[in-house]
Amino acid sequence: MDMQAWLHEQVTAEKRRALPILSFPSIQLLGITVRELISDSDLQAKGMYEVAKRCPASAAVSMMDLSVEAECFGSQIRVSDDEVPTVVGSVVGSMEDAQALPVPQVGAGRTGLYVEAISKALKLITDRPVFAGVIGPYSLAGRLMDMTQIMMNCYDEPEMVHATLEKATAFILSYIQAYKAVGAHGVVIAEPAAGLLSPDLCEEFSSPYVKQIVDAVQDDQFLVIYHNCGNAAARMIPQLLDIGASGYHFGNAVSMEEVLEQMPGDVLTMGNLDPVSVFRNGTPEQVRESTLELLKRCTPHKNFLISSGCDIPPASSWENIDAFFAAVEEFYQ
């Protein structure tokens, strides 16, 4: 698949297709639990396929499960039947811990299973790109260290943070290369924790590490989409653009118009309907109204592609999801 042609189409088409982060609600289509979905590559591939059959999205995306990589490093995770897995506790509390932290091999924990899922999904979904999903370096380091603690360590123990980031980056790079090797068309790097940083701290502790990954894996046939749903993301656009990703995805904590005004017109920029208040807790009519309003405000920017602000929760109703795609179709008609 010519990914440069796909990318060009997204920023030039008069009638644009949505690209929400939509994967976990597949459990409803398959009649399974989140626990079952995250444990079975066949179910993940089938879930992506069922979503693609039902939804006219411009690409298929895998789950934004930000516990996978931390689990490989030894973090404890909490799993339930109906919620996205979360990380519990920390495994890095000192410089000694950071230095002794082994970098796992791809295949550890559930990473091998997730790579298998993308390989299987590629055989089922042939009419659009298939994107894998990984966590960003700073967000992974925050889960290894504890999110509150890493914020303090950026000031008090910066060397420890950098030591952890180097190992997180090395693993994520290998993980993405494994997705690329099985034929994925790109990857969404979720770096939400960076949205809590100041622009200067982002420039020190997040963007250079993400850029290192982007420079190593991105080419004409493999794109990187950068996701940041933090409330400070709109204040660090120059730092984020330095990463050099093919596309940028923003959460609902920021004004999409404010972001778009700072983005170059040829850089694909996506967001940002609230995944909880709109998709999870709204009604179909509220979803329609919110979708049409965001499109009306942002479509004058030709590089805008409407999306959810983050991963749509597993229990979000399919009536709401269908209403979202219907509203996009209605707008462009």
Side-chain angles (χ1 to χ4, degrees), residues 70-142:
E71 185 182 25
C72 289
F73 278 90
S75 294
Q76 179 183 351
I77 67 166
R78 180 182 294 122
V79 179
S80 69
D81 286 342
D82 53 7
E83 296 292 341
V84 177
T86 56
V87 175
V88 180
S90 64
V91 295
V92 177
S94 66
M95 185 61 171
E96 291 72 23
D97 290 341
Q99 292 172 333
L101 190 69
V103 178
Q105 295 293 313
V106 175
R110 288 174 289 134
T111 56
L113 184 150
Y114 278 39
V115 173
E116 282 180 10
I118 291 297
S119 178
K120 293 172 180 177
L122 284 160
K123 295 178 175 65
L124 299 173
I125 304 168
T126 58
D127 64 341
R128 69 196 75 180
V130 174
F131 286 89
V134 301
I135 197 171
Y138 182 77
S139 299
L140 175 53

Coordinates of all heavy atoms in Angstrom, one line a residue, residues 70-142:
A70 N 4.7 -1.9 29.8 CA 5.1 -1.8 31.2 C 5.1 -3.2 31.8 O 6.0 -3.6 32.7 CB 4.2 -0.9 32.0
E71 N 4.1 -4.0 31.5 CA 4.1 -5.4 32.0 C 5.3 -6.2 31.6 O 5.8 -7.0 32.4 CB 2.8 -6.1 31.4 CG 2.6 -7.5 31.9 CD 1.4 -8.2 31.3 OE1 1.0 -7.8 30.2 OE2 0.8 -9.1 31.9
C72 N 5.8 -5.9 30.4 CA 7.1 -6.6 29.9 C 8.3 -6.3 30.8 O 9.2 -7.1 31.0 CB 7.4 -6.2 28.5 SG 6.3 -6.9 27.3
F73 N 8.3 -5.1 31.3 CA 9.3 -4.6 32.2 C 9.2 -5.1 33.7 O 10.0 -4.7 34.5 CB 9.5 -3.1 32.2 CG 10.2 -2.6 31.0 CD1 9.6 -2.2 29.8 CD2 11.6 -2.4 31.1 CE1 10.3 -1.7 28.7 CE2 12.3 -1.9 30.0 CZ 11.7 -1.6 28.8
G74 N 8.1 -5.8 34.0 CA 7.9 -6.3 35.3 C 6.8 -5.6 36.1 O 6.6 -5.9 37.3
S75 N 6.1 -4.6 35.5 CA 5.0 -3.9 36.2 C 3.8 -4.9 36.4 O 3.5 -5.7 35.6 CB 4.6 -2.7 35.4 OG 5.6 -1.7 35.4
Q76 N 3.2 -4.7 37.5 CA 1.9 -5.4 37.8 C 0.8 -4.7 37.1 O 0.7 -3.4 37.1 CB 1.6 -5.5 39.3 CG 0.4 -6.2 39.7 CD 0.1 -6.1 41.2 OE1 1.0 -5.7 42.0 NE2 -1.1 -6.6 41.6
I77 N -0.1 -5.4 36.5 CA -1.3 -4.8 35.9 C -2.6 -5.3 36.4 O -2.6 -6.4 37.0 CB -1.2 -5.0 34.3 CG1 -1.5 -6.4 33.9 CG2 0.0 -4.4 33.7 CD1 -1.8 -6.6 32.5
R78 N -3.6 -4.4 36.4 CA -4.9 -4.8 36.8 C -5.8 -5.0 35.6 O -5.9 -4.1 34.8 CB -5.5 -3.7 37.7 CG -6.9 -4.1 38.2 CD -7.5 -2.9 39.1 NE -6.7 -2.8 40.3 CZ -6.1 -1.7 40.7 NH1 -6.1 -0.6 39.9 NH2 -5.4 -1.6 41.8
V79 N -6.4 -6.2 35.5 CA -7.2 -6.6 34.4 C -8.6 -6.8 34.8 O -8.9 -7.4 35.9 CB -6.7 -7.8 33.6 CG1 -7.6 -8.2 32.5 CG2 -5.2 -7.6 33.2
S80 N -9.6 -6.4 34.1 CA -11.0 -6.6 34.4 C -11.7 -7.1 33.1 O -11.2 -7.1 32.0 CB -11.7 -5.4 35.0 OG -11.9 -4.4 34.0
D81 N -13.0 -7.4 33.3 CA -13.8 -7.9 32.1 C -14.3 -6.7 31.2 O -14.6 -7.0 30.1 CB -15.0 -8.7 32.6 CG -14.6 -10.1 33.1 OD1 -13.5 -10.5 32.8 OD2 -15.4 -10.7 33.8
D82 N -14.4 -5.5 31.8 CA -15.0 -4.5 31.0 C -14.3 -3.1 31.0 O -14.8 -2.2 30.5 CB -16.5 -4.2 31.6 CG -16.5 -4.0 33.1 OD1 -15.4 -3.8 33.7 OD2 -17.6 -3.9 33.6
E83 N -13.0 -3.1 31.5 CA -12.3 -1.9 31.5 C -10.9 -2.1 30.9 O -10.4 -3.3 30.9 CB -12.1 -1.3 32.9 CG -13.4 -0.9 33.6 CD -14.0 0.3 32.9 OE1 -13.3 1.1 32.2 OE2 -15.2 0.6 33.1
V84 N -10.3 -1.1 30.3 CA -8.9 -1.2 29.8 C -8.0 -1.5 30.9 O -8.1 -0.9 32.0 CB -8.6 0.2 29.1 CG1 -7.2 0.1 28.6 CG2 -9.6 0.5 28.0
P85 N -7.0 -2.4 30.7 CA -6.0 -2.7 31.7 C -5.2 -1.5 32.2 O -5.0 -0.6 31.4 CB -5.1 -3.7 31.1 CG -5.9 -4.3 29.9 CD -6.7 -3.1 29.5
T86 N -4.8 -1.5 33.5 CA -4.1 -0.4 34.1 C -2.9 -0.9 34.8 O -2.8 -2.1 35.2 CB -4.9 0.4 35.1 OG1 -5.5 -0.5 36.1 CG2 -6.1 1.1 34.3
V87 N -1.8 -0.1 35.0 CA -0.6 -0.5 35.7 C -0.8 -0.1 37.1 O -1.3 1.0 37.5 CB 0.6 0.3 35.0 CG1 1.9 0.0 35.8 CG2 0.8 -0.2 33.6
V88 N -0.3 -1.0 38.0 CA -0.4 -0.8 39.5 C 1.1 -0.8 40.0 O 1.9 -1.6 39.7 CB -1.1 -2.0 40.1 CG1 -1.2 -1.7 41.6 CG2 -2.5 -2.1 39.5
G89 N 1.4 0.3 40.8 CA 2.7 0.3 41.5 C 3.8 0.8 40.6 O 3.5 1.3 39.5
S90 N 5.0 0.6 41.0 CA 6.2 1.0 40.2 C 7.3 -0.1 40.3 O 7.3 -0.8 41.3 CB 6.7 2.4 40.7 OG 7.2 2.3 42.0
V91 N 8.2 0.0 39.4 CA 9.4 -0.9 39.5 C 10.7 -0.2 39.5 O 11.8 -0.8 39.6 CB 9.3 -1.9 38.3 CG1 8.1 -2.9 38.4 CG2 9.4 -1.2 36.9
V92 N 10.7 1.1 39.3 CA 11.9 1.9 39.3 C 11.7 3.0 40.4 O 10.9 3.9 40.2 CB 12.1 2.6 37.9 CG1 13.4 3.5 38.0 CG2 12.3 1.6 36.9
G93 N 12.5 2.9 41.4 CA 12.4 3.9 42.5 C 13.8 4.6 42.8 O 13.8 5.5 43.7
S94 N 14.8 4.2 42.1 CA 16.1 4.8 42.3 C 17.0 4.7 41.1 O 16.6 4.0 40.1 CB 16.8 4.0 43.5 OG 17.1 2.7 43.1
M95 N 18.1 5.3 41.1 CA 19.0 5.3 39.9 C 19.5 3.8 39.8 O 19.7 3.3 38.7 CB 20.2 6.2 40.2 CG 21.2 6.3 39.0 SD 20.3 6.9 37.5 CE 21.7 7.1 36.4
E96 N 19.7 3.2 40.9 CA 20.2 1.8 40.9 C 19.1 0.9 40.2 O 19.5 0.0 39.4 CB 20.5 1.2 42.3 CG 21.7 1.8 42.9 CD 21.4 3.3 43.4 OE1 20.3 3.7 43.6 OE2 22.5 4.0 43.5
D97 N 17.9 1.1 40.5 CA 16.8 0.4 39.8 C 16.8 0.6 38.3 O 16.6 -0.3 37.5 CB 15.4 0.8 40.4 CG 15.2 0.3 41.8 OD1 15.9 -0.6 42.3 OD2 14.3 0.9 42.5
A98 N 17.0 1.9 37.9 CA 17.0 2.2 36.5 C 18.1 1.6 35.8 O 18.0 1.0 34.7 CB 17.0 3.7 36.3
Q99 N 19.3 1.6 36.4 CA 20.5 1.0 35.8 C 20.4 -0.5 35.7 O 20.8 -1.1 34.7 CB 21.7 1.4 36.6 CG 22.1 2.9 36.4 CD 23.2 3.3 37.4 OE1 23.4 2.7 38.4 NE2 23.9 4.3 37.0
A100 N 19.7 -1.1 36.7 CA 19.6 -2.6 36.7 C 18.4 -3.1 35.9 O 18.3 -4.3 35.6 CB 19.4 -3.1 38.1
L101 N 17.5 -2.2 35.4 CA 16.3 -2.6 34.7 C 16.7 -3.3 33.4 O 17.3 -2.6 32.5 CB 15.5 -1.4 34.4 CG 14.0 -1.6 33.9 CD1 13.2 -2.2 35.0 CD2 13.4 -0.2 33.5
P102 N 16.3 -4.5 33.2 CA 16.6 -5.2 31.9 C 15.7 -4.8 30.8 O 14.5 -4.5 31.1 CB 16.5 -6.7 32.2 CG 15.5 -6.7 33.3 CD 15.7 -5.5 34.1
V103 N 16.2 -4.6 29.6 CA 15.3 -4.3 28.5 C 14.8 -5.7 27.9 O 15.5 -6.5 27.5 CB 16.1 -3.6 27.3 CG1 15.2 -3.3 26.1 CG2 16.6 -2.3 27.9
P104 N 13.4 -5.9 28.0 CA 12.9 -7.2 27.6 C 13.0 -7.4 26.1 O 13.1 -6.4 25.3 CB 11.4 -7.1 28.0 CG 11.1 -5.6 28.1 CD 12.4 -5.0 28.5
Q105 N 12.9 -8.6 25.7 CA 12.9 -9.0 24.3 C 11.4 -8.8 23.8 O 10.5 -9.1 24.5 CB 13.3 -10.4 24.0 CG 14.8 -10.6 24.4 CD 15.7 -9.9 23.4 OE1 15.5 -10.0 22.2 NE2 16.7 -9.2 24.0
V106 N 11.3 -8.4 22.5 CA 9.9 -8.4 21.9 C 9.4 -9.8 21.9 O 10.1 -10.7 21.5 CB 9.9 -7.8 20.5 CG1 8.6 -7.9 19.9 CG2 10.4 -6.4 20.5
G107 N 8.2 -10.0 22.4 CA 7.6 -11.3 22.6 C 7.4 -11.6 24.0 O 6.6 -12.5 24.4
A108 N 8.0 -10.8 24.9 CA 7.8 -11.0 26.4 C 6.4 -10.5 26.7 O 5.8 -9.7 26.0 CB 8.8 -10.1 27.1
G109 N 5.8 -11.1 27.7 CA 4.4 -10.7 28.1 C 3.5 -11.0 27.0 O 3.4 -12.0 26.4
R110 N 2.7 -9.9 26.7 CA 1.7 -10.0 25.6 C 2.1 -9.4 24.3 O 1.4 -9.3 23.4 CB 0.4 -9.4 26.1 CG -0.4 -10.2 27.2 CD -1.6 -9.5 27.7 NE -1.2 -8.3 28.5 CZ -1.7 -7.1 28.4 NH1 -2.6 -6.8 27.5 NH2 -1.3 -6.1 29.3
T111 N 3.4 -8.9 24.3 CA 3.8 -8.2 23.0 C 3.8 -9.1 21.8 O 3.5 -8.7 20.7 CB 5.2 -7.6 23.2 OG1 6.1 -8.6 23.6 CG2 5.1 -6.5 24.3
G112 N 4.2 -10.4 22.0 CA 4.2 -11.3 20.9 C 2.8 -11.6 20.4 O 2.6 -11.6 19.1
L113 N 1.9 -11.7 21.3 CA 0.5 -11.9 20.9 C 0.0 -10.7 20.2 O -0.8 -10.9 19.2 CB -0.3 -12.1 22.3 CG -1.8 -12.4 22.2 CD1 -2.1 -13.3 23.5 CD2 -2.6 -11.2 22.3
Y114 N 0.3 -9.5 20.6 CA -0.2 -8.3 19.9 C 0.4 -8.1 18.5 O -0.3 -7.7 17.6 CB 0.1 -7.0 20.7 CG -0.9 -6.8 21.9 CD1 -1.4 -7.9 22.6 CD2 -1.3 -5.5 22.2 CE1 -2.3 -7.6 23.6 CE2 -2.2 -5.3 23.2 CZ -2.7 -6.4 23.9 OH -3.6 -6.2 24.9
V115 N 1.7 -8.5 18.3 CA 2.3 -8.5 17.0 C 1.6 -9.5 16.1 O 1.3 -9.3 14.9 CB 3.8 -8.8 17.0 CG1 4.4 -8.9 15.6 CG2 4.5 -7.6 17.8
E116 N 1.3 -10.7 16.7 CA 0.5 -11.7 15.9 C -0.8 -11.2 15.5 O -1.3 -11.5 14.4 CB 0.3 -13.0 16.8 CG 1.5 -13.9 16.9 CD 1.2 -15.1 17.8 OE1 0.0 -15.3 18.2 OE2 2.1 -15.8 18.2
A117 N -1.5 -10.5 16.4 CA -2.8 -10.0 16.1 C -2.8 -9.0 14.8 O -3.7 -9.1 14.0 CB -3.4 -9.2 17.3
I118 N -1.8 -8.2 14.7 CA -1.7 -7.3 13.6 C -1.4 -8.1 12.3 O -1.9 -7.8 11.3 CB -0.6 -6.2 13.8 CG1 -1.0 -5.2 14.9 CG2 -0.3 -5.5 12.5 CD1 -2.2 -4.4 14.6
S119 N -0.5 -9.1 12.4 CA -0.2 -9.9 11.3 C -1.5 -10.6 10.8 O -1.7 -10.7 9.6 CB 0.8 -11.0 11.7 OG 1.1 -11.9 10.6
K120 N -2.3 -11.1 11.7 CA -3.6 -11.7 11.3 C -4.6 -10.7 10.8 O -5.3 -11.0 9.8 CB -4.2 -12.5 12.5 CG -3.3 -13.7 12.9 CD -3.8 -14.3 14.2 CE -2.9 -15.5 14.6 NZ -3.3 -16.1 15.9
A121 N -4.6 -9.5 11.4 CA -5.6 -8.5 10.9 C -5.3 -8.1 9.5 O -6.2 -7.8 8.7 CB -5.5 -7.3 11.9
L122 N -4.0 -8.0 9.1 CA -3.6 -7.6 7.8 C -4.1 -8.6 6.7 O -4.3 -8.2 5.6 CB -2.0 -7.6 7.7 CG -1.4 -6.3 8.4 CD1 0.1 -6.6 8.7 CD2 -1.6 -5.1 7.5
K123 N -4.3 -9.8 7.1 CA -4.9 -10.8 6.1 C -6.4 -10.6 5.9 O -6.9 -11.0 4.9 CB -4.5 -12.2 6.6 CG -3.1 -12.6 6.6 CD -2.8 -14.0 7.1 CE -1.4 -14.4 7.0 NZ -0.5 -13.6 7.8
L124 N -7.0 -10.0 7.0 CA -8.5 -9.8 6.9 C -8.9 -8.5 6.4 O -9.9 -8.3 5.7 CB -9.0 -10.0 8.3 CG -8.8 -11.3 9.0 CD1 -9.3 -11.3 10.5 CD2 -9.6 -12.4 8.3
I125 N -8.1 -7.4 6.6 CA -8.4 -6.1 6.3 C -7.5 -5.6 5.2 O -6.3 -5.4 5.4 CB -8.3 -5.1 7.5 CG1 -9.1 -5.6 8.7 CG2 -8.6 -3.7 7.1 CD1 -8.8 -4.9 10.0
T126 N -8.0 -5.5 4.0 CA -7.2 -5.2 2.8 C -7.6 -4.0 2.1 O -6.9 -3.6 1.1 CB -7.2 -6.4 1.8 OG1 -8.5 -6.7 1.4 CG2 -6.6 -7.7 2.5
D127 N -8.6 -3.3 2.6 CA -9.1 -2.1 1.8 C -8.7 -0.8 2.4 O -9.1 0.3 2.0 CB -10.6 -2.2 1.8 CG -11.3 -2.1 3.1 OD1 -10.6 -2.3 4.2 OD2 -12.5 -1.7 3.2
R128 N -7.8 -0.8 3.5 CA -7.4 0.4 4.2 C -6.1 0.0 5.0 O -5.9 -1.2 5.3 CB -8.5 0.9 5.1 CG -8.8 0.0 6.3 CD -10.1 0.4 7.0 NE -11.2 -0.1 6.2 CZ -12.5 0.0 6.5 NH1 -12.8 0.7 7.6 NH2 -13.5 -0.4 5.8
P129 N -5.3 1.0 5.4 CA -4.1 0.7 6.2 C -4.5 0.2 7.5 O -5.6 0.4 8.1 CB -3.5 2.1 6.3 CG -4.1 3.0 5.3 CD -5.5 2.5 5.0
V130 N -3.6 -0.6 8.1 CA -3.7 -1.2 9.4 C -2.6 -0.6 10.3 O -1.4 -0.9 10.0 CB -3.7 -2.7 9.4 CG1 -3.7 -3.3 10.8 CG2 -4.9 -3.3 8.6
F131 N -3.0 0.1 11.3 CA -2.0 0.7 12.3 C -1.9 -0.1 13.6 O -2.9 -0.4 14.2 CB -2.3 2.1 12.6 CG -2.1 3.1 11.4 CD1 -3.0 3.3 10.5 CD2 -0.9 3.7 11.3 CE1 -2.8 4.2 9.4 CE2 -0.6 4.6 10.3 CZ -1.6 4.9 9.4
A132 N -0.7 -0.4 14.0 CA -0.5 -0.9 15.3 C -0.5 0.2 16.3 O -0.5 1.4 16.0 CB 0.8 -1.7 15.4
G133 N -0.4 -0.1 17.6 CA -0.4 0.9 18.7 C 0.7 0.5 19.7 O 0.8 -0.6 20.1
V134 N 1.5 1.6 20.1 CA 2.4 1.4 21.2 C 2.4 2.6 22.1 O 1.9 3.7 21.7 CB 3.9 1.2 20.6 CG1 4.0 0.0 19.7 CG2 4.3 2.5 19.9
I135 N 3.0 2.5 23.3 CA 3.1 3.6 24.2 C 4.3 4.4 23.8 O 5.3 3.9 23.2 CB 3.2 3.0 25.6 CG1 2.9 4.2 26.7 CG2 4.5 2.4 25.9 CD1 2.7 3.6 28.1
G136 N 4.3 5.7 24.3 CA 5.5 6.5 24.1 C 6.5 6.4 25.2 O 6.2 5.9 26.3
P137 N 7.8 6.8 25.0 CA 8.8 6.6 26.0 C 8.6 7.2 27.3 O 8.7 6.6 28.4 CB 10.1 7.2 25.3 CG 9.8 7.2 23.8 CD 8.3 7.4 23.7
Y138 N 8.1 8.5 27.3 CA 7.9 9.1 28.6 C 6.7 8.5 29.3 O 6.8 8.3 30.6 CB 7.7 10.6 28.4 CG 7.5 11.4 29.7 CD1 8.6 11.6 30.6 CD2 6.3 11.8 30.2 CE1 8.5 12.3 31.8 CE2 6.1 12.4 31.4 CZ 7.2 12.7 32.2 OH 7.0 13.3 33.4
S139 N 5.7 8.2 28.6 CA 4.5 7.6 29.2 C 4.9 6.2 29.8 O 4.3 5.8 30.8 CB 3.4 7.5 28.2 OG 3.0 8.7 27.8
L140 N 5.7 5.4 29.1 CA 6.2 4.1 29.6 C 7.0 4.3 30.9 O 6.8 3.7 31.9 CB 6.9 3.4 28.6 CG 7.6 2.1 29.0 CD1 6.6 1.1 29.6 CD2 8.3 1.4 27.8
A141 N 8.0 5.3 30.8 CA 8.8 5.5 32.0 C 8.0 6.0 33.2 O 8.2 5.6 34.3 CB 9.8 6.6 31.7
G142 N 6.9 6.7 32.9 CA 6.0 7.1 34.0 C 5.3 6.0 34.6 O 5.0 6.0 35.9

